[in-house]
Each structure stands twice: as C-alpha cells, then as structure tokens.
Amino acid sequence: MGVNIVASCSLAALMVFMAASLFLSTVTVAASVPAVYVFGDSLADVGNNDYLVTVLKADFSHNGMDYPGGKATGRFSNGKNSADFIAEKLGLATSPPYLALSSSSNANYANGVSFASGGAGVSNATNTDLCITFDKQIEYYSGVYASLARSLGQAQSDNHLAKSIFAITIGSNDIIHYAKANTAAGAGDGPSQQYVHTLIQSLTGQLQSLYNLGARKVLFLGTGPVGCTPSLRELSSTKDCSALANAMAVQYNKAAEAVLSGMSAQHPDLHYALFDSSAALLRYIDQPAAYGFAEAKAACCGLGDMHAKIACTPLSAYCANRSDHVFWDFYHPTEATAQKLTDTAFDGSAPFIFPINIRQLSAI
Ligand SMILES: *[C@@H]1O[C@H](CO)[C@@H](O)[C@H](O)[C@H]1NC(C)=O
Ligand SMILES: *[C@@H]1O[C@H](CO)[C@@H](O)[C@H](O)[C@H]1NC(C)=O
C-alpha cells in the first residue's frame, strides 16, 4: 500500500510537472514575441486599404462572410487571413492596420502594427497609386521606429523590436502583373528571369532597411503558385496554371532564401524563417482531396468562367462550402487555406518552412 501511495504521489507529481511544462512552453512562446510587425500585400492586409481611395478594396460583402460577426473588414478573404492565424498561434491579437492607428492621437505601436496593403509589390511600379507600396510601408515603419525609441527609450525599443517578429509577404503582385502582360512568354525565359532578378535586387535593399531599423526575427512568406490563381488560369483556353508565373514564383522564393541566408551570415543576430508558399500550396492544388478540399481551380466568390472573370462583390455568386475551396476569389485563398498553410509554417519543416519554423523563430 505504501508503495502504491508513493507510486500515485509520483504520478501526481509527474502530472503536475507535465502541466507546468506545458504551461511554461506556452508562456515562453508568448513572452519571447511581444509583437508582430506585418508588411506586404492583400494576403496579410487587415484593413489598411479601407483608408485609401483605391479600387483594391475588400470592405464589402461577400468578403468577411465567415469572419466573426460576418463582417467585411478589408480582409481579402471569406474570414481570417494568415496575419490573423500567425498572431493567434503566438497568443497575440492581430496587429492593427497602421492607417487606423496613425489616425488616433495616442497610437500605441508596441503591440504590433500591420503595414500590409492589398496590391503592394516589391516594385514601386506595381499598383503605385492604388496601395501602400512596400517602400512606403518601410517609410511608415521608420516613423514607428522613431516613435517607439522616443516612448520606450532607444535600448528598450531595440530590445522590443529584436524580440518581435517581422512578417513579410510580398512579390505576388509583381509576378501576376508581369505574367498578365506577357502571356506569350515561355516559362523561365530570359526576360522573366531578369525581371525576378530586378525584384530581388530591390528586395535585398528593403530587407536591409528593415534590419537597419531593428528587425532581427524575419518571417518571409514567399509567393504562392500564383499561376494557379483562378484569374491566371482563366486566361488559358485549357484552364491550366500559368507555367510562366509559377516558374517566376519558384525562382523568386529561391532567390529570397539566398538573400536571407546571406544576410544572416553577415549579421549573426539576424534570424529568419522562410515559408515556400509555392511548394506548400501546390500540394493542395495537385491533390485537393488529400488535404480536405473539393475545388482547387475555380474561385468560391466571383462571376463568369471559374468565378474568375469578375471580382467578389455583393452581386457575385459564392460557393456553399468555403472550407472545401482552395481559392476564395480570383486571387486570394480561403480562410481554410490560410489556416492550413499557417499550421505548416508554424510547426512544419523543410522543404516548406526553413531553416527553422515559426515556433522555433519565436522561441529565440
Ligand atoms: C520608390 O519610392 C520611394 C518613395 O515611396 C522612393 O524613396 C524610392 O527611391 C523609390 N524607389 C525606386 C526604385 O524608384
Ligand atoms: C465543407 O467542406 C469541409 C472540407 O472538405 C467538410 O469537412 C465539411 O463537412 C463540408 N461541409 C458541408 C456542410 O458539406
């Protein structure tokens, strides 16, 4: 009996210990990442474009039909997007849109800010007057950087930013524009490779600027297989993916990896995780049923062929089940797709997320 008591005591102790370590590991993730600073395009926009005069907006139905309250917020999705799921997994609130914060007199930038804006590209020339371009996002962020240094003091602000995650999703719009303007070009031809090379040169400078402004944990979400978006498929008579656009996405993601690994070799205090959205999302497109999808080609919401001729508006048709569609509208993934991709980026491994995943990046 005495033995039994000892045994059950140690079992209880073990369970308390396990509960405590579970609790501690949850706390560790939250405590090591105080905030997320988000940059990029419509894949992460949580409402910046609501404040712009532009056609690139999503603050009307049917967008948001599955968002809490069924509300259109400016997210280009039926529900939440990757920025929401990343924050959720880190135990943080979604970083609010910069243009919402900056219009208030006592803006708090320490809990994270999103500069992401639908339409943005690496190049200034992509949707110049229709969005907050990536260069402009960095310019806004430099103001935030200065403001944090004033309110927290330089040392504490640097420390705060070094622990924060800088999540960046940029490049899809540049590639989509190029592919739509060059439909006759062959996949991997010289000019398209040269164009991606030019994008990467800009991206190198932009990432260096963010490093100079305190970014030390970079999460880079590469471009998806944009040639398989309903919009680009619809251009082909056979409804195939644009091989040109997909080849550019592969080249771009590979080159972005080289830039980040070069930067981290040069700056040992820089850590990064690169998500190859192209490789990750192609799995759903090639084998939809294996990942719980029934439709990987047509958009859920839109009008015309493949629901891809006309955008998702209040007048558009939409599918009954948003969870079994890979694409919400002619360019954007559904909430279901964003959630599955984020799960892989958070806890997955190479060849999808490397050299470390988001959980490991956050624990540094
Ligand atoms: C892009 O625009 C920004 C201003 O928003 C400017 O500072 C930068 O030099 C421009 N870059 C190029 C390559 O034109
Ligand atoms: C919608 O699709 C998901 C994913 O394939 C499936 O699990 C769910 O049962 C479907 N819902 C309905 C109502 O058919």
Side-chain angles (χ1 to χ4, degrees):
M1 191 172 165
V3 173
N4 273 346
I5 288 172
V6 170
S8 56
C9 275
S10 50
L11 182 61
L14 181 66
M15 284 171 71
V16 168
F17 173 75
M18 283 169 63
S21 7
L22 267 179
F23 174 73
L24 277 178
S25 65
T26 313
V27 167
T28 306
V29 168
S32 52
V33 177
V36 184
Y37 294 88
V38 183
F39 298 81
D41 54 31
S42 54
L43 296 172
D45 191 343
V46 291
N48 272 315
N49 282 20
D50 299 2
Y51 295 82
L52 302 179
V53 178
T54 174
V55 294
L56 303 177
K57 279 178 179 281
D59 54 350
F60 45 77
S61 74
H62 305 299
N63 294 296
M65 64 188 300
D66 298 310
Y67 192 80
K71 202 173 71 175
T73 56
R75 287 165 176 78
F76 296 77
S77 169
N78 59 305
K80 296 175 181 172
N81 66 25
S82 300
D84 297 304
F85 288 119
I86 290 168
E88 218 166 274
K89 282 178 163 289
L90 291 169
L92 299 170
T94 299
S95 303
Y98 172 76
L99 294 181
L101 284 174
S102 60
S103 60
S104 105
S105 55
N106 56 345
N108 177 6
Y109 296 123
N111 295 330
V113 185
S114 172
F115 302 91
S117 165
V122 167
S123 163
N124 267 359
T126 300
N127 294 322
T128 313
D129 298 319
L130 299 175
C131 66
I132 313 171
T133 64
F134 190 27
D135 278 328
K136 192 77 189 167
Q137 292 179 32
I138 295 170
E139 191 184 312
Y140 283 153
Y141 168 66
S142 70
V144 164
Y145 174 86
S147 160
L148 283 169
R150 274 194 307 273
S151 57
L152 303 175
Q154 188 70 50
Q156 204 187 324
S157 168
D158 286 349
N159 187 38
H160 168 80
L161 293 171
K163 287 187 194 152
S164 298
I165 285 184
F166 285 68
I168 305 163
T169 171
I170 197 82
S172 301
N173 287 309
D174 306 283
I175 294 174
I176 287 171
H177 274 215
Y178 185 93
K180 286 190 129 177
N182 298 277
T183 46
D189 72 357
S192 70
Q193 289 186 349
Q194 182 52 45
Y195 179 73
V196 173
H197 181 70
T198 309
L199 292 180
I200 292 295
Q201 281 181 318
S202 302
L203 182 67
T204 305
Q206 288 156 336
L207 293 175
Q208 186 62 49
S209 299
L210 290 176
Y211 177 83
N212 295 344
L213 293 166
R216 295 296 181 268
K217 292 186 184 188
V218 171
L219 167 62
F220 191 84
L221 305 162
T223 69
V226 290
C228 297
T229 54
S231 173
L232 285 186
R233 270 193 199 266
E234 198 273 320
L235 296 178
S236 113
S237 54
T238 50
K239 307 299 173 226
D240 286 325
C241 301
S242 159
L244 169 71
N246 280 0
M248 291 172 78
V250 168
Q251 185 195 344
Y252 175 85
N253 291 347
K254 225 176 146 167
E257 212 284 306
V259 171
L260 283 162
S261 86
M263 278 179 73
S264 73
Q266 200 187 339
H267 307 290
D269 59 349
L270 175 71
H271 304 280
Y272 74 95
L274 184 128
F275 186 57
D276 187 343
S277 314
S278 205
L281 185 50
L282 269 178
R283 296 174 304 167
Y284 310 164
I285 291 167
D286 291 342
Q287 290 185 282
Y291 296 92
F293 292 107
E295 178 60 67
K297 294 181 179 169
C300 171
C301 182
L303 284 176
D305 229 6
M306 307 184 78
H307 281 177
K309 284 258 193 228
I310 294 176
C312 180
T313 73
L315 301 178
S316 303
Y318 62 86
C319 61
N321 188 346
R322 273 77 66 190
S323 303
D324 70 11
H325 275 61
V326 172
F327 291 101
W328 163 240
D329 66 7
F330 55 1
Y331 289 121
H332 304 102
T334 53
E335 173 183 84
T337 302
Q339 180 161 33
K340 285 184 201 311
L341 290 176
T342 307
D343 286 347
T344 301
F346 210 88
D347 282 309
S349 54
F352 307 115
I353 180 91
F354 49 91
I356 54 176
N357 61 33
I358 303 179
R359 186 181 297 281
Q360 292 164 326
L361 181 69
S362 67
I364 289 170

